[in-house]
Amino acid sequence: MKENTLVLNKDERLGDGEVSCAEPVPSSSTIAAIVTSLGGPPGAVGIVRLSGPSAVSIAGEVFRPMSRKRRKGVRWWPNSHVVEYGEVLDSHGNVIDEVLVVPMLAPKSYTREDVIELQCHGSEVCLRRVLRACLDAGARLAEPDEFTIRAFLNGRLDLSQAENVGKLVTSKSMAAADAALADYRGSSIVMGGFSFMVKSLRAQCIELLTEIEARLDFDDEMPPLDINLVTDRIHKMLQEVDGALETANYDKLLQSGVQIAIVGRPNVGKSSLLNAWSKRSEAVAMGADVIVMTVSAAEGWTSEDDRLLERIHSNKIATSSTSPVVLVVNKIDFASSCAWVDTLSRSFRKYVFTCAVTGKGISNLESAVVELVGLNKIPAGGRKWTVNQRQCEQLVRAREAFVRLQASIEEEIPLDFWTIDLREAAMALAQISGEDISEEVLSNIFGKFCIGK
Amino acid sequence: MRHIHSKIRVPNILLMAIFLPCFANSKCSPCGPTSASQDEIYEVIVVGIQTSKVSSQRRLQKRVCVCWKPNFVRGLEANRIKGHHVLLAKAYIESLKGAPHLSIREAMVTDVLVGKNDSVEGVQTFFGMKFYAPSVVLTTGTFMSGKIWVGRTSMPAGRAGESASHGLTENLQKLGFETDRLKTGTPARVDSRTVDFSGMEPQHGDEEVGWFSFDPDYHIEREQMCCYLTRTTKETHQLIKDNLHETPTYGGWVEAKGPRYCPSIEDKIVRFQDKESHQIFLEPEGRTVPELYVQGFSTGLPERLQLPLLRTLPGLENCSMLRPAYAVEYDYLPAHQCFRSLMTKKIEGLFFSGQINGTTGYEEAAAQGIISGINAARHSDGKSLIVLERESSYIGTLIDDLVTKDLREPYRVLTSRSEHRLLLRSDNADSRLTPLGRDIGLIDDVRWKIYQDKQARILEEKNRLKTVRISGGDLAVEVAEVSSQPVKESSTLESLLKKPHVQYKLFDKHGYGNALLSRMEKECVEIDIKYEGFIIRQQTQLRQMAQQQHSRLPEDLDYFDMTTLSHEAREKLSKVRPQTIGQASRVGGVSPADITALLIILESNRRKAKERTQHQIITSTLAGENQEMSETSRNQTIRS
């Protein structure tokens, strides 16, 4: 049955509010993901891809071109299909990686949307940090195969390919993914904390919404709202999210990488060790998460090494640092026996034999460091990691809403407005996107308060 | 899509009700235009009744539901438009004097006449009369197989003392409609002459009268009537606890639960044991009758216990009861069977409106009444039907919820139901909806000019506030004081108004106001400026979302065939048959993954169709059939 409709949808007072439906645009969000494979041995280069209407502005937030330093306030506008070299910054303005940016503006791109690819160093930590910066700047983590889906929906692939896309996106597999999500939330120890936090924050948002929204409709039947209590709880939630994002071991690693100090006498191979290592990972910086003391196998343990070790220990005591110290016996190919190492086992948490020049033992060193700082507790591999990243994204979005909410509170904007950001926070923290907040809030209102005439 | 600004063509309309003197006391709403009968053939038949312009004048008390001081989202609710039956009926009939195209007829409609192509032809009454029209609106209220309960006793009735309507349900079922049953209740009425108001807290209407309409012709000041507040006592609670087994719900002979927002007094007492007392409002039913409505006191107790129960309330110790509280059960048709225009999907020209769609309340009925009325008239005229999008208005939200969601209790509009509440305010109701009203010919030149002048004044004032600057002076001092924020050496009035706690009144006080503006217009200016950031943000989000949400779904989709959708989604979508992607995403049980899969299927279908068309063009070109080709391209032009 045909039904013609006449829809007028604008508020004349707002002026240009008219919504045009002439050209349906399938997606309004901008998605981001690491599109090179993760989990295996790191490649030299990894790619973070952005696609969507805000891809350029998000890239503009995180990317600083090297050629001509961007003047403040001038928007970055790339030339399509012209590669640019520069740095990626995190939300605090710290440099996290050097990258090549490949802009492919609509419609000449894979998805027919604006696409920006950030070619980063191939290590997982690097890629995740760059991705995180993009999420912080407003991108949404892409669903599995979402780039391909968008490409198809925007008319990019031909019909025979479409059949495959259809199979690719069966809701069955998506449901399985969601179920897997729920499972991981329940079982993983590291994520347990995150997932509990997401759940509990969401419950708190709903509870506050219940309090506030009940009064929007049933003010005359309700006791007055304790504004201070509500304000306090919002502050507390924001602190919780901040705390979670800052202290969660994993997140800290994403933001700053592992801070490693490489110490040793001159000429034991510190710089060649650094070089060998940084070919594999950019995440080496001088700091204090792990101290790597390097000695030369060719010369064995010397009295100078003794003094250095003593200084390390006294420094650690002075700064009350608990960072583990790892012994690296470098130039191992020059030594026949290293029995002396056993006598030092008390001073070091671990020891590793390497040959920086050939790269031998570097991976052992890496896994030793990873084990010591707890990185190995984070399940490696795409799916599990994605789960965690999703929760991380949920918290990032919730934090944005809470920050706006706090601004509203400070500006003494009426309570009605608070519900808008609270709802956004609750939606961000939803188990599955698209949950119906309204119905949940309503049933809470009627369950909790004695209202209605 | 714009239509000529002509006055809506008034069709001939017949209103039919079971019992004429009562017909305007229904909770339903307006059916706009009207017209004279020619034998038994009409252009629109409205079975049931209603009207809402009446309610604007007939209100007894107006209270703005204050949300927050500085309140923003607030509803203007004319308290109990219910009005006394006879009074309303009279008002209604008076309003008909100016409506010569409207006929009324007492009859019990038992069947809908359906012609070829599943389009409606008219209705048939109990006594076998047939009335013909291309549009029929059913507004059956609580009458369709209605049954009222007091304690354990029940009788068929639509309302106390008014006969139920029988036979229509069965005939609608025969046409393939799905029906279900809902329950609601109404509290007792007491004689105001037997009530001692001296100890009660009077609840006056707002001193500053707000109006529903921007048109001053409808601003008729009348003395507002006072409501009174009393409370339940220990004795009330004891009496109920002692007799719980006598109530339908706790006695266990009625399974159906009432709506959550209208709990019976026994429900409140059982569920909120820690509350020692509940508020009870006494509201006058009309200006000339002694009936008082005991708000918040509906009960399923038998009649013999109801008077003793009323008498436990302070001030009602000696009251006499005019009518007991009762519950009513009735048939309704789950509204997924309607389009958002409120026309049924099965029968063209048949519209459902009001409680038949599962709503409760006067505002809900009025909202549907205006849409079904407009669309019935437009349908008779062969014009396109109108739809209000969800984000355009609470009317749109209401209808979208009704036709999309699986509702299990009578539906009431609440602020919480709209995601777009900052944009849906009473202060901008006119600027949101009047242009549409104008487009479809409901707003005449006079009202249109009033509306446009108002908008022009608001715009002009906003521009003035942007440009007028003050430096120092009393206003600056007071603004700094009120807002606890420093005021810059040279500030625009606009920037002052954006500061917390600063209201337009302050400009008036210091001589910076604009005397040409009404209080309502000043409020509009204040809201637009103060909350500009928020409003723009919501508007932007809305615009982004709307493009995808509003894209329409083809009507002939076979959801069961879409194996990439979850089973639940296939089932629900087949049942609801949403008209847009946005609507589909709001159907319960449809996940975002299902929507993605659906989009992919639609795109595949579109490409296949395109490929076929191209193929046809090629074959027809080869065959030299130029005619077919030009036809195809014409079709494409129309589509784009």
Side-chain angles (χ1 to χ4, degrees):
Chain A
M1 189 183 297
K2 260 269 179 310
E3 196 204 32
N4 293 319
T5 52
L6 174 62
V7 179
L8 213 93
N9 184 27
K10 63 174 177 181
D11 181 344
E12 289 217 321
R13 241 162 71 201
L14 278 172
D16 58 343
E18 193 154 18
V19 175
S20 138
C21 304
E23 183 89 349
V25 178
S27 53
S28 55
S29 57
T30 298
I31 52 173
I34 299 168
V35 291
T36 42
S37 73
L38 283 179
V45 173
I47 295 174
V48 173
R49 183 190 283 153
L50 284 159
S51 175
S54 320
V56 170
S57 69
I58 289 169
E61 291 251 325
V62 301
F63 174 69
R64 192 169 63 193
M66 286 299 242
S67 49
R68 49 206 144 75
K69 290 280 176 194
R70 195 167 24 136
R71 274 166 298 158
K72 262 198 173 164
V74 177
R75 270 178 74 197
W76 177 68
W77 196 259
N79 291 325
S80 192
H81 298 81
V82 174
V83 176
E84 263 188 90
Y85 166 67
E87 291 167 336
V88 168
L89 312 177
D90 67 13
S91 54
H92 305 289
N94 303 320
V95 175
I96 47 180
D97 200 8
E98 293 172 87
V99 297
L100 287 177
V101 167
V102 185
M104 288 160 278
L105 303 185
K108 288 167 76 180
S109 72
Y110 179 55
T111 57
R112 287 210 170 154
E113 301 172 330
D114 284 348
V115 169
I116 307 283
E117 287 188 352
L118 302 166
Q119 300 190 352
C120 315
H121 286 95
S123 87
E124 258 182 76
V125 172
C126 260
L127 286 167
R128 288 172 192 175
R129 281 159 59 193
V130 171
L131 177 60
R132 170 67 196 276
C134 293
L135 299 184
D136 275 335
R140 179 169 69 67
L141 193 63
E143 300 287 338
D145 301 309
E146 197 170 357
F147 292 105
T148 308
I149 294 168
R150 286 192 175 195
F152 172 68
L153 290 178
N154 293 334
R156 183 68 171 61
L157 308 174
D158 67 32
L159 203 56
S160 61
Q161 287 169 289
E163 300 291 323
N164 295 326
V165 176
K167 279 177 203 139
L168 201 120
V169 199
T170 64
S171 58
K172 230 190 216 162
S173 67
M174 289 228 185
D178 280 341
L181 247 167
D183 264 0
Y184 278 117
R185 284 176 188 193
S187 62
S188 158
I189 306 165
V190 175
M191 268 141 268
F194 254 33
S195 123
F196 176 76
M197 167 132 314
V198 166
K199 263 191 209 157
S200 116
L201 280 172
R202 185 175 182 281
Q204 289 182 57
C205 287
I206 297 283
E207 202 178 311
L208 276 183
L209 275 171
T210 303
E211 290 282 345
I212 299 172
E213 297 204 357
R215 280 150 177 105
L216 295 183
D217 283 309
F218 305 100
D219 186 42
D220 52 346
E221 296 173 64
M222 305 275 303
L225 188 75
D226 185 340
I227 303 272
N228 290 333
L229 196 78
V230 173
T231 319
D232 284 352
R233 279 167 63 186
I234 291 167
H235 283 292
K236 226 187 95 216
M237 285 198 288
L238 181 58
Q239 278 172 0
E240 250 177 86
V241 175
D242 271 339
L245 285 173
E246 269 164 32
T247 60
N249 192 18
Y250 181 67
D251 193 56
K252 190 175 162 201
L253 293 177
L254 281 189
Q255 276 181 8
S256 56
V258 188
Q259 309 273 307
I260 295 169
I262 302 179
V263 295
R265 291 182 291 114
N267 220 15
V268 294
K270 292 192 300 292
S271 52
S272 44
L273 181 66
L274 179 62
N275 284 340
W277 205 348
S278 55
K279 268 184 201 148
R280 302 170 54 94
S281 161
E282 277 298 300
V284 182
M286 300 305 267
D289 284 337
V290 179
I291 297 162
V292 175
M293 178 165 170
T294 313
V295 297
S296 163
E299 298 165 54
W301 185 262
T302 66
S303 57
E304 224 176 311
D305 289 324
D306 254 339
R307 280 198 296 281
L308 184 60
L309 182 61
E310 227 164 89
R311 258 177 47 214
I312 291 173
H313 280 300
S314 57
N315 258 344
K316 273 183 71 179
I317 292 160
T319 57
S320 58
S321 153
T322 55
S323 305
V325 185
V326 177
L327 176 66
V328 172
V329 184
N330 196 24
K331 307 190 183 176
I332 190 68
D333 42 346
F334 288 106
S336 45
S337 154
C338 285
W340 49 270
V341 168
D342 293 332
T343 62
L344 294 162
S345 61
R346 225 186 269 172
S347 304
F348 298 100
R349 291 277 292 278
K350 272 189 186 302
Y351 56 86
V352 182
F353 299 101
T354 62
C355 177
V357 180
T358 61
K360 187 173 156 195
I362 296 293
S363 60
N364 294 343
L365 172 58
E366 237 178 45
S367 43
V369 168
V370 160
E371 197 187 320
L372 286 173
V373 296
L375 201 64
N376 65 332
K377 284 188 207 137
I378 295 154
R383 185 68 215 170
K384 288 181 187 178
W385 173 74
T386 310
V387 171
N388 200 29
Q389 189 65 29
R390 268 195 208 292
Q391 281 163 356
C392 181
E393 190 202 359
Q394 289 178 317
L395 291 177
V396 169
R397 294 282 162 273
R399 181 171 63 181
E400 284 169 6
F402 287 139
V403 167
R404 281 196 302 267
L405 192 52
Q406 265 197 326
S408 299
I409 295 170
E410 267 158 38
E411 285 167 41
E412 303 187 49
I413 300 274
L415 206 52
D416 325 17
F417 287 85
W418 303 9
T419 62
I420 301 299
D421 287 318
L422 262 179
R423 269 171 176 259
E424 254 171 52
M427 304 245 269
L429 297 168
Q431 295 288 94
I432 303 160
S433 56
E435 276 178 325
D436 189 352
I437 304 271
S438 297
E439 191 43 45
E440 194 174 347
V441 170
L442 271 180
S443 57
N444 269 9
I445 288 177
F446 295 121
K448 187 167 178 190
F449 303 114
C450 179
I451 42 180
K453 292 166 176 175
Chain B
M1 284 268 263
R2 289 225 157 198
H3 285 244
I4 332 128
H5 289 186
S6 65
K7 212 171 163 159
I8 199 162
R9 198 181 70 80
V10 177
N12 299 312
I13 294 177
L14 172 66
L15 287 180
M16 303 181 83
I18 294 179
F19 178 48
L20 268 188
C22 285
F23 81 85
N25 63 22
S26 143
K27 302 179 176 186
C28 300
S29 67
C31 73
T34 47
S35 156
S37 73
Q38 292 180 332
D39 300 323
E40 311 291 19
I41 299 172
Y42 302 87
E43 281 165 296
V44 176
I45 295 177
V46 180
V47 182
I49 351 318
Q50 50 235 226
T51 221
S52 94
K53 215 196 270 170
V54 183
S55 43
S56 197
Q57 289 167 25
R58 283 295 150 199
R59 80 190 181 284
L60 302 170
Q61 189 201 46
K62 235 178 211 174
R63 270 180 88 196
V64 173
C65 310
V66 180
C67 300
W68 302 105
K69 330 221 145 163
N71 49 3
F72 185 69
V73 176
R74 60 182 170 192
L76 192 57
E77 180 191 0
N79 211 5
R80 303 307 122 217
I81 302 168
K82 62 177 156 302
H84 189 261
H85 309 163
V86 181
L87 191 78
L88 255 181
K90 217 174 105 194
Y92 197 81
I93 287 162
E94 272 169 21
S95 80
L96 298 188
K97 285 179 188 161
H101 301 288
L102 183 71
S103 314
I104 47 183
R105 180 70 161 254
E106 183 175 293
M108 181 159 89
V109 170
T110 54
D111 203 358
V112 174
L113 305 172
V114 178
K116 276 175 261 157
N117 305 326
D118 282 342
S119 58
V120 80
E121 287 197 327
V123 297
Q124 182 165 353
T125 69
F126 183 78
F127 296 116
M129 282 293 292
K130 288 180 178 170
F131 296 83
Y132 293 95
S135 301
V136 170
V137 186
L138 292 185
T139 63
T140 53
T142 59
F143 282 73
M144 211 156 64
S145 308
K147 192 184 215 182
I148 65 173
W149 288 87
V150 178
R152 284 172 190 276
T153 320
S154 71
M155 67 185 278
R159 261 194 307 251
E162 292 169 42
S163 161
S165 135
H166 293 284
L168 189 54
T169 307
E170 291 73 14
N171 284 320
L172 287 173
Q173 283 168 344
K174 267 184 220 152
L175 289 174
F177 286 102
E178 173 193 338
T179 67
D180 208 338
R181 225 156 154 72
L182 282 177
K183 183 192 140 201
T184 182
T186 187
R189 309 296 201 275
V190 296
D191 189 333
S192 64
R193 295 167 303 175
T194 62
V195 174
D196 175 13
F197 294 104
S198 58
M200 295 182 199
E201 198 181 303
Q203 306 275 302
H204 295 284
D206 287 340
E207 265 181 39
E208 286 185 341
V209 185
W211 300 101
F212 285 110
S213 170
F214 61 82
D215 183 346
D217 280 357
Y218 292 98
H219 299 180
I220 301 164
E221 281 258 21
R222 302 184 61 161
E223 186 207 346
Q224 297 202 42
M225 295 186 72
C226 189
C227 295
Y228 292 89
L229 174 66
T230 183
R231 313 191 126 266
T232 58
T233 59
K234 267 194 192 121
E235 290 73 41
T236 321
H237 292 221
Q238 198 54 51
L239 189 74
I240 285 175
K241 282 177 191 158
D242 291 346
N243 292 288
L244 271 182
H245 58 281
E246 300 260 22
T247 66
T249 314
Y250 296 94
W253 66 86
V254 168
E255 294 245 334
K257 279 186 184 161
R260 289 173 297 179
Y261 36 78
C262 298
S264 61
I265 188 67
E266 51 265 22
D267 254 2
K268 291 185 193 175
I269 286 168
V270 170
R271 287 181 49 220
F272 298 93
Q273 303 243 0
D274 51 327
K275 259 192 123 181
E276 282 176 12
S277 178
H278 297 271
Q279 292 186 334
I280 303 295
F281 290 92
L282 296 179
E283 299 173 355
E285 284 269 43
R287 291 174 195 280
T288 53
V289 287
E291 261 179 77
L292 279 180
Y293 183 93
V294 189
Q295 177 78 268
F297 211 60
S298 40
T299 176
L301 284 172
E303 188 164 354
R304 68 183 159 81
L305 290 170
Q306 288 197 21
L307 185 61
L309 190 67
L310 283 167
R311 288 185 168 175
T312 62
L313 301 176
L316 273 71
E317 293 88 349
N318 298 309
C319 74
S320 68
M321 186 167 75
L322 292 172
R323 178 196 290 167
Y326 62 85
V328 57
E329 272 186 310
Y330 55 94
D331 287 336
Y332 79 106
L333 285 89
H336 62 79
Q337 300 171 95
C338 289
F339 292 115
R340 290 176 300 164
S341 58
L342 295 181
M343 185 162 85
T344 60
K345 293 175 180 171
K346 283 212 164 63
I347 311 289
E348 196 186 324
L350 179 63
F351 295 80
F352 291 161
S353 185
Q355 278 158 316
I356 193 171
N357 284 333
T359 61
T360 182
Y362 305 97
E363 295 83 356
E364 290 75 7
Q368 293 172 68
I370 186 118
I371 297 300
S372 59
I374 289 169
N375 280 335
R378 290 178 71 87
H379 178 259
S380 297
D381 234 7
K383 285 186 181 151
S384 61
L385 304 185
I386 65 157
V387 165
L388 295 184
E389 289 291 352
R390 180 179 184 83
E391 59 276 7
S392 72
S393 54
Y394 278 101
I395 299 182
T397 308
L398 161 87
I399 295 177
D400 185 74
D401 276 348
L402 281 183
V403 305
T404 311
K405 293 185 178 168
D406 189 15
L407 304 165
R408 289 162 201 278
E409 64 176 347
Y411 181 96
R412 168 151 285 176
V413 167
L414 296 166
T415 314
S416 311
R417 297 207 195 262
S418 174
E419 307 82 356
H420 315 289
R421 63 189 72 155
L422 290 188
L423 301 175
L424 306 185
R425 310 181 309 267
S426 58
D427 71 273
N428 68 350
D430 57 356
S431 52
R432 281 186 283 121
L433 296 171
T434 309
L436 174 64
R438 176 67 175 173
D439 267 22
I440 60 175
L442 282 176
I443 306 291
D444 62 22
D445 292 346
V446 177
R447 293 191 74 188
W448 183 240
K449 182 157 191 324
I450 295 173
Y451 165 78
Q452 283 187 309
D453 289 350
K454 177 186 166 186
Q455 301 308 318
R457 276 196 299 276
I458 291 170
L459 187 66
E460 219 170 278
E461 178 65 1
K462 286 199 284 193
N463 286 334
R464 185 183 75 90
L465 296 183
K466 265 197 188 79
T467 47
V468 174
R469 288 177 173 274
I470 63 156
S471 44
D474 292 348
L475 177 60
V477 172
E478 194 167 347
V479 166
E481 200 179 303
V482 169
S483 65
S484 338
Q485 285 184 2
V487 175
K488 277 190 209 149
E489 183 50 33
S490 165
S491 304
T492 60
L493 291 176
E494 184 189 46
S495 67
L496 297 182
L497 197 54
K498 277 184 190 278
K499 290 184 185 290
H501 307 300
V502 176
Q503 292 182 297
Y504 192 96
K505 278 184 210 155
L506 214 60
F507 294 169
D508 285 335
K509 185 178 161 193
H510 292 277
Y512 287 96
N514 184 343
L516 295 174
L517 260 60
S518 69
R519 189 175 56 78
M520 271 163 81
E521 287 159 0
K522 287 173 186 171
E523 193 183 292
C524 294
V525 170
E526 191 180 309
I527 288 171
D528 283 0
I529 289 178
K530 242 185 163 41
Y531 307 115
E532 193 185 13
F534 271 91
I535 294 170
I536 289 177
R537 185 156 67 88
Q538 277 228 317
Q539 190 78 13
T540 314
Q541 286 171 349
L542 193 65
R543 217 170 307 162
Q544 285 179 352
M545 181 209 77
Q547 294 200 306
Q548 180 178 12
Q549 298 259 305
H550 291 180
S551 61
R552 293 185 67 95
L553 292 170
E555 272 138 32
D556 51 356
L557 288 177
D558 182 359
Y559 292 104
F560 281 114
D561 220 27
M562 302 180 181
T563 48
T564 47
L565 298 187
S566 71
H567 282 289
E568 191 182 2
R570 278 181 247 173
E571 227 160 79
K572 293 281 173 64
L573 289 172
S574 304
K575 188 174 168 189
V576 173
R577 303 209 65 81
Q579 290 171 283
T580 63
I581 287 285
Q583 224 190 319
S585 68
R586 290 188 291 274
V587 172
V590 176
S591 72
D594 289 320
I595 294 299
T596 308
L598 182 58
L599 285 172
I600 288 170
I601 292 163
L602 292 179
E603 176 66 15
S604 307
N605 290 348
R606 195 186 65 82
R607 301 244 194 119
K608 278 178 196 152
K610 198 174 153 194
E611 230 170 48
R612 264 199 305 275
T613 319
Q614 275 167 350
H615 185 72
Q616 268 171 13
I617 292 174
I618 292 163
T619 24
S620 60
T621 313
L622 289 176
E625 286 177 31
N626 293 324
Q627 196 189 347
E628 197 181 331
M629 186 180 137
S630 64
E631 206 163 79
T632 318
S633 58
R634 198 189 314 139
N635 283 340
Q636 279 178 334
T637 324
I638 292 165
R639 253 181 54 200
S640 58

